[in-house]
Amino acid sequence: MDWNRGGSHCIMNVGVNSMCSNLGYLEDGEYITSDDCEDTLIELLKNLQEENPIQRAYRRQLCFSRIIELDIIPLIKYVRDQPEIFSAAIRLLASLIQPVECLILGIPVDVTLPWVPDVKRMLFTTRKLCNDKDLIQAIVTEIMTVITDHDGQPMPEETCDFINKCLLVFRNLLYIQNIETNPNQEIIVLYLLECGLGELINRVVTLPQREYWCASIIQLVSLMYTRQTLDILKPCLSIDTSDEESLSEYEDREHDFLPTTAMCYNDEDDKTSYTASCSLPGLFGKTLHMDESGVTDLDTGQLESPETQGGQENTEEDMLTEDLSEEDKVEHLRSLLLQFTNDFIINCFGFLVHDLKNVLISDVKDNLDETYFLWAMAFFLKIARKENLPFKVIRLVLKTELFGFLTYQGVVLTEQLLIAQKKKNNLTNNIRRLHLTITALNEILKTLLKYSSDENLEEYDKEYLVGLQKDLANVTELRMVFFLLIRHYQSKDTSLCFLEDLISTNHTYLSLLDSWDRNGWVIDNFNMMEHIKLYANRNIMQYYGTMLENFENNRSVVNLYVFTMMHHIAGDCEKPEVLMQMPIIQALMEIDGSKNCMTKEMIDLKEFLLNRFDNLTKTDPYAAAMELYGIQENKDQIIEESVNDISGVTDSAEVDDMLFALYTELQNTSDMVETMVERFAEIGITITAQQVWSRLYDNGLIDDTEFFANEKLVTVKDEIESKLFDSEDKDVIQWCVNALKEKKQDENLKWIQTLLCETAFVRLGKQCERNLRCEEPVTMFHVVKGSSVPLVIYKEEQEPILHDQHFTVLLHYLGFHTPQDVDMIFPRIPSFWTSEQLIQQAEKLGPISKDILKFDPTSVKFEDEQFTFSTRKNDTTYRNSKDISVQRPMTGGGDNNIFWLKQIQQYNLTKQRTTSNYGE
């Protein structure tokens, strides 16, 4: 027995030392447990969970007592026949080695935390202690024993929680390995693989309750792919970690550990308290770049069977890692990690991403940050595609539902980015999340493109892919999300790599969309050229020009994507003027075709644009200058007239100074201009609202869209207020509709109707036939989550309508949530509206055309809403063909998943009242 547990802190640790002494002692390689061992472990855990989070005195005392070294590790290693004690020891260890970033969340940043240095020292010490293969083997063996004992039958919640805690111990140990530069940090990965982590994950993913621990698994797996291990894999997978051939920052993912629910989303912009995102800088800088030219000449046949790997059977069981040279250790780890990666993709990946998606859209979303799902999609699809793995391996991933979920993520994260930008918050984490979404979309689209062109697939696989593509061809929101992403590209805050991935992904999608259109799979009134014309916009082409400026350093395929889009804009769309921008012209002049790989079409486009610019400068220099700088005469005239109207009021510079000060103070208020007019009146200056808008625009404080909408709004405000006086809601709605029609805003009225009808279609669920049309994903996933449905502004020309007073009054009287109401960017349909209410509101805007409705309102029972994930035709094809997963429970969001989601929710509520509420 160790009588000096606390060292110099022994006096202050008397109580803790006494309890630790009641656990037992180590003697002759065997840990002798006391009769009170289990009760003592439970009491230690209870005290740890109830401690003061500011002082954490109890945790510090446990650190000084060396309980991990003297008791917990020996208990786990040597106690084999007492599962209750083993389980309690695991729970206590999992709680003790929580990352510091878990423990400080929610605490104001100005509060001093005296315990942090001591806990960090304990974690570093634990890192060394847990580099113990026997310890890891004991945990893996116990989990496998528990799984075998239950023989595939549902486990009680306590057992599920035990398995999850074991996985969390591994996850936390890997995290400790990564928070400080450590040349030997890959050793624990080696031990995990040698002890059978791959087989363990394969087993737990097959269990019915796998959604209990799917978040822990993906966090654990992601931490295995560090820069060190990727460097080891590099010779096999051609993983390029340099920036020269940058494709995407696959490892710009966030490990958001939270204290009570493992890894949940936390607002990184909340500066009043500690957050995971601002506390884990070491993890954010890592990137993974994979060479697009090809993975390697890796023999995938060898990967499919461990027996073919030249003695690997003996390697894993009999080889002593300690006896190997450093070079042999690296080769041994490379072999194991390569096998693990292959097995994970084949046996687990497809099922896991569906489980993760189900968690993210459920009430227990706080158990997981979406970046893990996005990272897994991008990372493992890349490898599967490059390794030419069989189609059946990734078939479960190529689902309309997952394409839709990524589309939904793109819209949601774009809105979050715009909100952060509006509030002048740090955009770094918003951009990283958005970048991961783009890379995930890029990989799933490239995977679809690859396998859909594979003539060697089985006939039923080809039919499945045709059904999938027919569905995707008619998902309007998937078409528009790329335009939305490019339109809101933040050139000042994002890397060129982000823009490269965005342009590449959009090119891949447009290639697919073009083939779908030519095959006649798009059933609505879609015109490919009209869609391309959306990009014939100076702002959009400005971003393509940014990519063109890096022509010498770009990959040749990226330059091809840029020139392809510009070729369509200048030729098919007949909009060469939008390419007449100074950066684009300068970039074209600097490109030396003889030194760069340029096709004839690229050379022709370059010469056409430069000749047009040259001719224009000679014939009409003024017009050339106007085009180069995007100046329009009518704008200047409006501004000049507005400025002249205010002349004589007071000194112009003084007015501008006052406006700037007021704008800084009032920019986030809904009545900014009205308040400014009142403030000026208080000091004797008369200025109209139109003049305020003009001055704000002239000084660059507002953009084109906001100015040209609002300078007209103030002229109709009095008219609207007069009409609203003593009017019934119905009359006001009809009056606004008539006013908007007079202003030729019929398309925007149809826009509202379409969203209302789509939301009703989603809510009615199984009552509506899904053979021809599937749900729009942004609408569907908002309904699934019980959230209000956004009226997403995809196009730039839709922006001004939000500032139109008739339009805003219409939304208000229809019952929409305005952006000001909910502090968001887009207006929203309330989540509590029923499908019947939705159709009634749509009818108030006028007759509903057949191209909007996806169902017959007269043939459904509105009171019987049956929302669930629809069975689309590509899923039907899948069920009628060979089922590749007959030995696995299905995961497509069916009744089984709904049941388990409810079980998880109840489990989390119950867990908060038990002693085992360590963050998952």
Side-chain angles (χ1 to χ4, degrees):
M1 185 179 298
D2 193 329
W3 295 99
N4 190 27
R5 284 176 173 269
S8 60
H9 301 275
C10 187
I11 295 178
M12 66 175 285
N13 288 354
V14 171
V16 170
N17 286 341
S18 177
M19 291 188 68
C20 292
S21 298
N22 289 334
L23 294 172
Y25 57 92
L26 185 64
E27 184 176 280
D28 297 330
E30 182 179 357
Y31 193 88
I32 310 299
T33 59
S34 69
D35 295 337
D36 300 327
C37 183
E38 182 183 356
D39 293 337
T40 302
L41 287 169
I42 293 174
E43 185 175 355
L44 286 168
L45 180 60
K46 181 175 180 292
N47 293 340
L48 194 63
Q49 293 168 339
E50 295 176 352
E51 68 178 347
N52 185 315
I54 305 299
Q55 298 298 326
R56 299 221 180 260
Y58 201 76
R59 185 175 297 267
R60 297 171 75 190
Q61 292 175 32
L62 287 175
C63 293
F64 295 134
S65 71
R66 298 164 58 203
I67 185 175
I68 294 178
E69 176 186 358
L70 300 177
D71 296 294
I72 296 180
I73 290 179
L75 269 171
I76 294 173
K77 288 173 63 174
Y78 302 118
V79 175
R80 304 283 186 182
D81 55 351
Q82 302 179 65
E84 294 81 7
I85 292 178
F86 189 97
S87 176
I90 285 289
R91 297 173 194 275
L92 183 58
L93 178 61
S95 185
L96 279 172
I97 62 174
Q98 290 183 77
V100 171
E101 292 75 20
C102 273
L103 303 173
I104 65 177
L105 287 178
I107 301 176
V109 293
D110 57 348
V111 175
T112 302
L113 303 175
W115 51 268
V116 171
D118 292 333
V119 172
K120 283 186 175 180
R121 280 193 293 270
M122 182 271 290
L123 291 174
F124 295 148
T125 301
T126 304
R127 176 183 62 197
K128 300 175 183 177
L129 295 172
C130 292
N131 277 349
D132 185 335
K133 187 175 179 179
D134 292 337
L135 171 69
I136 294 172
Q137 187 66 68
I139 298 175
V140 172
T141 300
E142 188 65 24
I143 299 176
M144 298 296 281
T145 300
V146 169
I147 294 173
T148 301
D149 290 345
H150 285 83
D151 193 25
Q153 299 301 314
M155 302 178 184
E157 289 185 0
E158 193 172 313
T159 303
C160 291
D161 185 62
F162 164 71
I163 292 176
N164 194 46
K165 292 298 186 295
C166 291
L167 294 171
L168 290 171
V169 167
F170 292 151
R171 183 206 71 184
N172 289 347
L173 289 177
L174 281 173
Y175 176 73
I176 296 172
Q177 297 290 322
N178 284 281
I179 57 180
E180 184 182 78
T181 302
N182 179 12
N184 298 316
Q185 68 181 52
E186 68 275 8
I187 192 67
I188 194 170
V189 175
L190 176 60
Y191 287 159
L192 284 168
L193 295 174
E194 286 183 332
C195 293
L197 178 67
E199 181 185 356
L200 171 62
I201 291 178
N202 288 344
R203 291 287 299 275
V204 297
V205 168
T206 67
L207 299 176
Q209 294 122 312
R210 63 185 178 274
E211 286 184 358
Y212 272 95
W213 44 72
C214 67
S216 301
I217 289 176
I218 195 60
Q219 293 158 7
L220 168 60
V221 169
S222 69
L223 285 167
M224 293 176 64
Y225 293 95
T226 64
R227 182 170 294 278
Q228 286 77 10
T229 55
L230 289 172
D231 285 341
I232 291 173
L233 269 181
K234 186 177 178 180
C236 294
L237 296 177
S238 289
I239 298 177
D240 183 7
T241 54
S242 71
D243 291 331
E244 295 178 0
E245 301 253 1
S246 163
L247 275 183
S248 57
E249 300 176 1
Y250 286 153
E251 277 200 337
D252 270 357
R253 63 195 189 276
E254 297 178 39
H255 303 275
D256 287 337
F257 296 87
L258 290 193
T260 57
T261 52
M263 297 191 181
C264 71
Y265 182 84
N266 193 66
D267 185 2
E268 62 273 13
D269 296 315
D270 180 5
K271 302 304 181 184
T272 62
S273 62
Y274 288 101
T275 64
S277 56
C278 65
S279 304
L280 300 176
L283 292 174
F284 290 171
K286 297 189 297 184
T287 59
L288 168 60
H289 304 303
M290 303 181 69
D291 188 354
E292 185 68 14
S293 60
V295 172
T296 58
D297 298 326
L298 182 67
D299 185 353
T300 54
Q302 288 186 334
L303 292 178
E304 295 176 1
S305 172
E307 290 79 7
T308 64
Q309 291 199 8
Q312 181 171 337
E313 290 182 349
N314 294 332
T315 299
E316 292 193 21
E317 297 182 7
D318 303 327
M319 184 181 295
L320 296 177
T321 306
E322 293 79 1
D323 296 336
L324 298 176
S325 65
E326 287 301 318
E327 184 177 347
D328 289 338
K329 284 183 181 179
V330 169
E331 191 61 38
H332 182 42
L333 176 57
R334 178 182 295 122
S335 174
L336 292 176
L337 190 57
L338 190 62
Q339 185 66 42
F340 171 82
T341 303
N342 186 76
D343 290 344
F344 181 82
I345 294 174
I346 292 175
N347 300 315
C348 307
F349 175 53
F351 303 96
L352 190 62
V353 293
H354 281 278
D355 291 338
L356 294 172
K357 181 265 303 172
N358 288 341
V359 170
L360 288 171
I361 63 176
S362 71
D363 292 339
V364 293
K365 185 264 181 189
D366 284 350
N367 285 341
L368 182 70
D369 187 284
E370 66 269 11
T371 53
Y372 286 92
F373 168 84
L374 298 171
W375 171 83
M377 289 286 288
F379 182 73
F380 290 111
L381 274 177
K382 182 87 169 185
I383 294 176
R385 178 169 59 86
K386 291 294 186 178
E387 292 297 328
N388 293 312
L389 293 181
F391 176 68
K392 65 180 181 180
V393 172
I394 50 87
R395 186 172 189 170
L396 275 177
V397 182
L398 294 182
K399 291 274 190 178
T400 309
E401 192 177 311
L402 286 180
F403 281 91
F405 185 69
L406 292 175
T407 303
Y408 160 81
Q409 284 291 330
V411 171
V412 170
L413 293 174
T414 297
E415 186 174 31
Q416 291 177 5
L417 176 65
L418 295 175
I419 292 170
Q421 184 183 35
K422 181 179 178 182
K423 294 180 178 180
K424 300 188 182 304
N425 293 335
N426 190 309
L427 306 180
T428 303
N429 294 330
N430 301 91
I431 290 171
R432 285 197 175 105
R433 283 185 166 90
L434 202 53
H435 196 174
L436 277 172
T437 304
I438 293 167
T439 54
L441 276 167
N442 192 23
E443 288 309 321
I444 198 170
L445 287 169
K446 285 185 175 179
T447 302
L448 175 61
L449 185 63
K450 171 185 171 62
Y451 287 101
S452 62
S453 59
D454 187 353
E455 295 297 329
N456 297 320
L457 292 182
E458 298 288 344
E459 197 59 37
Y460 61 83
D461 287 332
K462 293 180 181 179
E463 292 176 4
Y464 172 83
L465 286 172
V466 168
L468 171 64
Q469 292 178 89
K470 286 182 178 179
D471 276 353
L472 296 178
N474 295 285
V475 179
T476 305
E477 291 171 346
L478 178 59
R479 278 179 225 157
M480 298 306 300
V481 70
F482 298 105
F483 184 74
L484 179 75
L485 290 167
I486 296 176
R487 192 163 72 84
H488 291 294
Y489 169 70
Q490 306 291 324
S491 56
K492 295 181 180 179
D493 301 290
T494 50
S495 65
L496 203 61
C497 177
F498 181 103
L499 182 59
E500 176 184 327
D501 287 338
L502 185 50
I503 289 175
S504 299
T505 307
N506 186 46
H507 180 90
T508 302
Y509 174 74
L510 290 175
S511 299
L512 284 165
L513 182 60
D514 185 48
S515 67
W516 301 337
D517 185 41
R518 285 185 280 104
N519 288 329
W521 293 344
V522 187
I523 62 177
D524 58 11
N525 297 323
F526 173 75
N527 183 286
M528 187 67 188
M529 192 48 57
E530 289 300 317
H531 183 70
I532 296 297
K533 284 181 180 179
L534 292 175
Y535 296 88
N537 175 292
R538 288 190 64 88
N539 291 334
I540 298 294
M541 287 300 103
Q542 175 187 345
Y543 302 138
Y544 276 79
T546 300
M547 205 72 242
L548 191 64
E549 291 180 85
N550 197 50
F551 186 92
E552 296 288 343
N553 300 317
N554 291 338
R555 293 176 298 125
S556 58
V557 68
V558 174
N559 290 328
L560 179 61
Y561 297 160
V562 173
F563 269 91
T564 299
M565 177 60 80
M566 290 184 171
H567 188 278
H568 286 299
I569 298 301
D572 301 325
C573 298
E574 299 180 347
K575 289 281 188 178
E577 64 272 12
V578 301
L579 298 175
M580 293 292 106
Q581 302 182 37
M582 183 60 74
I584 295 177
I585 297 300
Q586 287 180 336
L588 291 172
M589 289 179 174
E590 293 172 3
I591 294 174
D592 186 348
S594 62
K595 295 182 179 179
N596 298 280
C597 181
M598 294 185 68
T599 65
K600 181 179 183 301
E601 289 77 9
M602 294 167 69
I603 295 173
D604 289 344
L605 177 63
K606 172 189 171 183
E607 292 178 352
F608 169 75
L609 292 176
L610 291 180
N611 287 336
R612 185 182 188 279
F613 169 72
D614 185 56
N615 293 333
L616 193 59
T617 54
K618 292 177 181 178
T619 58
D620 192 346
Y622 178 73
M626 297 285 281
E627 281 194 0
L628 282 179
Y629 295 100
I631 301 173
Q632 298 178 19
E633 289 190 56
N634 62 325
K635 290 186 181 181
D636 292 338
Q637 185 177 357
I638 292 172
I639 296 170
E640 184 179 356
E641 291 174 355
S642 300
V643 172
N644 290 338
D645 287 341
I646 198 174
S647 62
V649 175
T650 187
D651 180 73
S652 178
E654 182 181 349
V655 171
D656 288 342
D657 291 342
M658 294 175 63
L659 276 174
F660 181 80
L662 290 172
Y663 177 79
T664 303
E665 175 187 351
L666 304 170
Q667 60 180 315
N668 292 324
T669 62
S670 58
D671 57 346
M672 174 184 69
V673 171
E674 290 80 359
T675 305
M676 288 181 176
V677 172
E678 293 173 2
R679 296 280 185 89
F680 276 112
E682 290 173 0
I683 58 174
I685 298 177
T686 302
I687 185 172
T688 67
Q690 291 96 324
Q691 291 169 340
V692 171
W693 284 116
S694 298
R695 278 302 179 97
L696 291 173
Y697 178 80
D698 194 26
N699 285 283
L701 298 176
I702 59 174
D703 58 19
D704 291 7
T705 302
E706 195 170 3
F707 169 70
F708 284 100
N710 283 287
E711 63 96 16
K712 297 174 183 177
L713 293 186
V714 292
T715 64
V716 299
K717 183 175 180 181
D718 292 339
E719 178 188 3
I720 292 177
E721 290 178 347
S722 174
K723 182 64 183 179
L724 295 184
F725 186 72
D726 291 334
S727 295
E728 295 293 332
D729 286 7
K730 183 177 179 181
D731 293 336
V732 173
I733 290 173
Q734 188 58 52
W735 179 75
C736 288
V737 168
N738 293 339
L740 288 168
K741 286 183 177 180
E742 289 176 5
K743 292 188 281 187
K744 304 186 184 302
Q745 296 296 329
D746 299 75
E747 280 300 313
N748 286 319
L749 291 173
K750 186 177 179 180
W751 176 34
I752 304 175
Q753 273 189 326
T754 302
L755 183 64
L756 289 166
C757 293
E758 179 65 30
T759 307
F761 177 68
V762 171
R763 295 188 68 89
L764 286 169
K766 293 180 179 179
Q767 290 194 63
C768 302
E769 180 62 42
R770 257 69 173 173
N771 285 339
L772 296 177
R773 305 290 291 272
C774 57
E775 305 94 333
E776 293 293 340
V778 177
T779 304
M780 182 181 74
F781 285 107
H782 275 93
V783 172
V784 172
K785 291 173 67 66
S787 304
S788 53
V789 180
L791 184 68
V792 182
I793 306 163
Y794 291 103
K795 305 175 185 177
E796 188 172 344
E797 48 268 33
Q798 291 174 325
E799 294 275 4
I801 196 64
L802 283 187
H803 303 286
D804 185 293
Q805 201 76 1
H806 293 107
F807 191 82
T808 55
V809 170
L810 175 63
L811 293 182
H812 173 73
Y813 273 80
L814 284 173
F816 276 58
H817 296 317
T818 64
Q820 293 77 17
D821 294 335
V822 290
D823 194 26
M824 302 293 278
I825 299 298
F826 307 132
R828 279 169 154 71
I829 296 174
S831 59
F832 51 81
W833 281 4
T834 65
S835 53
E836 185 174 18
Q837 288 176 299
L838 291 161
I839 294 299
Q840 289 173 350
Q841 297 300 80
E843 289 173 340
K844 292 178 182 180
L845 303 177
I848 303 175
S849 61
K850 292 183 179 180
D851 63 321
I852 291 179
L853 275 174
K854 296 180 180 179
F855 64 98
D856 182 1
T858 62
S859 64
V860 298
K861 297 179 180 179
F862 287 111
E863 67 277 6
D864 187 20
E865 294 185 351
Q866 302 176 12
F867 173 76
T868 184
F869 289 119
S870 67
T871 300
R872 306 184 181 93
K873 51 183 172 289
N874 59 309
D875 294 321
T876 303
T877 303
Y878 179 77
R879 291 199 307 275
N880 292 336
S881 59
K882 293 182 181 179
D883 192 340
I884 63 167
S885 57
V886 291
Q887 298 180 350
R888 302 289 186 102
M890 290 299 293
T891 63
D895 294 338
N896 187 51
N897 284 328
I898 295 172
F899 169 76
W900 283 118
L901 282 176
K902 291 179 179 178
Q903 293 297 310
I904 296 172
Q905 294 169 24
Q906 182 60 43
Y907 163 67
N908 282 326
L909 292 175
T910 304
K911 185 172 60 175
Q912 295 175 3
R913 298 190 291 270
T914 67
T915 60
S916 58
N917 66 343
Y918 163 69
E920 299 173 16

